[in-house]
Amino acid sequence: MLPSHVIPRRRTLAAGALLTAAMLVAGLAGPAVADDESAPIRVVDGLIDTTDLISLGLPQAENAETVTIFEPGDQDDKFNHGTVLLPFRGKLYAQWQSSALDEDAPETVVKYSVSDDGEVWSEPVPLTAPRTDGYTSNGGWWTDGETLVAYLNVWPAALKPRGGYTEYVTSTDGVNWSAPQRVTDQNGVPVDGIIEQDVKALPSGRVLTAFHVQPGLQVKPYYTDDPLGVTGWTQGEFDNQPYLPDEMSRELEPSWHVREDGSIVMTFRDQGGSSMLKLASVSEDDGATWSDSVVTNVPDSRTKQSAGNLPDGTAYLVGSLTGTKTRFPLVIVLSADGETFDDGYVLRDANDLQPRRYEGKSKNLGYSYQKSVLWGDHLYVSYGTNKEDVELTRVPVEDLAQRDVPGAVASPTAVGSGRSLQVTWAAPADAGDSAITGYVVEAVATSGRTIRVEVAAEEASTTLADVHPGRYRVTVTAVNRFGEGERSAPSGWTNVTGGRG
């Protein structure tokens, strides 16, 4: 049963009905519904159970740790939301928007806190002051390694339809900050858009995110080759799906990851659809052009999400994948190739959700507006719990990685005969995170002469022919689609005499 303070909204998807639900909306206006094979991303059938109100059918991440960065008391700002993390000069920085009681209130300011270890955090410090012409919310962080950038989203009260623009401040010590300036495009013109709190670098070094541009909030991918991420922002070619003309696009608040084939997938909150499934688009040219967004079979919750890649290339997607507007539990799903998500864990389930202590406008229960960052050997996921407590959950990267290479093959047997070596071995007990695709057999003589051959996956023996006479020992290495595994211990020494009889 759910805790008494947790009352979920009515479910719209039944277990095993994800693809069926997607097909039911195929005739509606808006994005096409991709089939299971053509969708930019997909979850395998049965991975997520939307009828499980506690954990969505996913196992608990055993080594997940939750840390409270800031918990308001009676004298503090009680609305805290949009937590974003970034490492800088050996410390971890947290940024969020804060106000007395209500979301997007006139007195809203941006605050930040700092930690040496991700566990103990400094008292919050304001980055901005309240505005008289609107309010400022947080836009996230970026750094080139030398300078820390804090993005600030400015929402003018008089601007209709609702929208805004992005400023930034910089610091080289994380304490002293520059005066605010506007973020500019490739022509040096200020970008009239709200930056998404999801600025990351592509493998090429290009910086990629999205802005919600005027009029209103029309989401567009943006990239820059400025390492500091404050100039040169260029809008990628992307056609928005209709929702509210001149007010809001159907796609909102995206995140992105890189697939194994090198293409980029941007995943969107579906603000205007009835499917409660995420939208996705693909770029194959480093963010310059994008495909039309399509409906995937990944459940949406009408909130932000966080996608990315682990150091080994594993793709992940963090969110509350409920298929409703309910923002709990908090889960992560994982994919070795960035297309098919077939593994996952619950980071915080419904039973772990604390009660809301203070009332306020738009303060609903749940783990809201998740963002993530890699620091050390952990993936850190940050969020606002009940839009009240500033929190993070971290998980060891090794617990999540999906691209393990094979384990070591046992020491092979090698027998010399005439001018050949006969080598036999057994498959490793651990194939890694894909099937074995082959073996590398390497014979090394006492002289240093080396013979290396590749053998098919179904083989467990091979003969090395025309071997130069000498004393050899042999190793075998298993290979899967993620690379070569650990080399085996060598065989015993064996002689190749060179005789042909």
Side-chain angles (χ1 to χ4, degrees):
M1 295 180 61
L2 291 171
S4 59
H5 65 278
V6 175
I7 303 174
R9 293 179 172 87
R10 185 174 69 86
R11 297 275 144 176
T12 60
L13 292 177
L18 296 178
L19 293 178
T20 301
M23 295 175 69
L24 287 174
V25 300
L28 300 179
V33 180
D35 62 40
D36 195 37
E37 294 303 316
S38 65
I41 57 171
R42 67 194 71 86
V43 291
V44 296
D45 189 36
L47 178 65
I48 296 173
D49 179 1
T50 58
T51 66
D52 180 351
L53 307 185
I54 305 298
S55 64
L56 295 180
L58 294 170
Q60 175 67 41
E62 293 183 0
N63 296 308
E65 303 172 280
T66 295
V67 174
T68 299
I69 298 171
F70 173 69
E71 178 182 321
D74 292 344
Q75 305 306 310
D76 298 314
D77 284 349
K78 300 171 184 61
F79 184 94
N80 299 282
H81 194 28
T83 311
V84 187
L85 303 174
L86 191 74
F88 177 67
R89 296 192 181 277
K91 300 178 185 292
L92 192 59
Y93 285 71
Q95 177 199 106
W96 66 93
Q97 74 177 69
S98 185
S99 56
L101 286 173
D102 298 330
E103 184 167 12
D104 300 340
E107 77 277 5
T108 299
V109 296
V110 179
K111 294 182 179 179
Y112 77 105
S113 183
V114 186
S115 175
D116 293 322
D117 58 7
E119 298 180 17
V120 179
W121 289 83
S122 66
E123 287 295 316
V125 175
L127 264 175
T128 64
R131 306 181 74 97
T132 59
D133 59 346
Y135 69 93
T136 306
S137 65
N138 67 310
W141 304 105
W142 185 242
T143 183
D144 62 356
E146 299 297 325
T147 301
L148 181 61
V149 177
Y151 297 109
L152 309 170
N153 287 328
V154 180
W155 302 81
L159 187 61
K160 303 297 180 185
R162 181 173 179 263
Y165 58 86
T166 305
E167 295 182 335
Y168 69 92
V169 293
T170 62
S171 175
T172 56
D173 60 9
V175 176
N176 300 290
W177 296 89
S178 68
Q181 299 182 66
R182 291 284 298 270
V183 167
T184 58
D185 66 16
Q186 72 274 25
N187 298 315
V189 177
V191 177
D192 283 335
I194 295 294
I195 198 170
E196 180 53 39
Q197 305 161 327
D198 207 69
V199 182
K200 303 192 295 285
L202 289 161
S204 65
R206 172 169 286 179
V207 182
L208 176 66
T209 188
F211 284 78
H212 299 79
V213 298
Q214 301 177 31
L217 300 169
Q218 309 289 332
V219 77
K220 297 288 187 181
Y222 268 76
Y223 62 90
T224 180
D225 295 316
D226 170 21
L228 196 56
V230 297
T231 65
W233 285 101
T234 302
Q235 186 180 120
E237 294 182 19
F238 177 68
D239 293 329
N240 293 110
Q241 304 292 346
Y243 173 45
L244 299 176
D246 297 326
E247 184 173 340
M248 185 178 292
S249 59
R250 182 168 174 175
E251 306 92 348
L252 284 181
E253 298 172 341
S255 189
W256 60 268
H257 70 273
V258 179
R259 297 194 298 199
E260 186 182 10
D261 63 7
S263 59
I264 311 160
V265 176
M266 189 166 279
T267 308
F268 303 87
R269 165 180 179 164
D270 184 359
Q271 188 66 13
S274 60
S275 67
M276 295 304 297
L277 298 168
K278 292 188 181 296
L279 308 176
S281 173
V282 177
S283 174
E284 297 180 347
D285 55 9
D286 234 21
T289 62
W290 295 82
S291 66
D292 290 342
S293 65
V294 296
V295 177
T296 71
N297 77 335
V298 183
D300 193 17
S301 55
R302 286 266 159 93
T303 185
K304 292 191 187 230
Q305 65 232 286
S306 188
N309 295 89
L310 302 179
D312 75 331
T314 294
Y316 66 84
L317 179 63
V318 176
S320 296
L321 309 182
T322 58
T324 73
K325 293 182 180 180
T326 303
R327 296 180 177 181
F328 55 85
L330 175 63
V331 305
I332 183 169
V333 291
L334 302 157
S335 171
D337 62 9
E339 296 183 48
T340 302
F341 288 78
D342 56 7
D343 196 9
Y345 300 94
V346 60
L347 303 181
R348 291 188 67 180
D349 64 23
N351 289 327
D352 195 39
L353 180 61
Q354 63 263 38
R356 186 177 62 232
R357 302 183 300 282
Y358 304 102
E359 294 302 316
K361 179 184 176 183
S362 300
K363 284 189 67 176
N364 51 326
L365 287 172
Y367 311 111
S368 289
Y369 279 29
Q370 308 91 1
K371 291 299 171 189
S372 61
V373 72
L374 291 163
W375 191 40
D377 56 2
H378 284 75
L379 176 69
Y380 284 73
V381 178
S382 56
Y383 46 90
T385 304
N386 303 329
K387 298 186 180 180
E388 190 165 87
D389 298 325
V390 181
E391 296 192 302
L392 68 83
T393 298
R394 64 182 184 184
V395 187
V397 168
E398 66 179 5
D399 291 1
L400 304 174
Q402 302 287 298
R403 288 187 174 184
D404 282 351
V405 295
V409 175
S411 177
T413 299
V415 177
S417 175
R419 294 185 63 86
S420 66
L421 272 170
Q422 288 82 42
V423 184
T424 58
W425 64 89
D430 178 13
D433 285 319
S434 88
I436 299 295
T437 58
Y439 295 92
V440 174
V441 178
E442 193 170 68
V444 181
T446 53
S447 65
R449 183 187 301 274
T450 301
I451 304 167
R452 178 185 168 98
V453 298
E454 297 180 359
V455 181
E458 61 272 15
E459 302 297 331
S461 65
T462 191
T463 297
L464 307 182
D466 297 322
V467 178
H468 193 276
R471 196 163 181 244
Y472 289 82
R473 59 182 182 179
V474 180
T475 59
V476 177
T477 304
V479 182
N480 68 13
R481 67 190 179 98
F482 302 127
E484 295 185 9
E486 182 181 352
R487 183 179 296 175
S488 73
S491 68
W493 290 101
T494 186
N495 290 320
V496 175
T497 63
R500 296 186 181 277

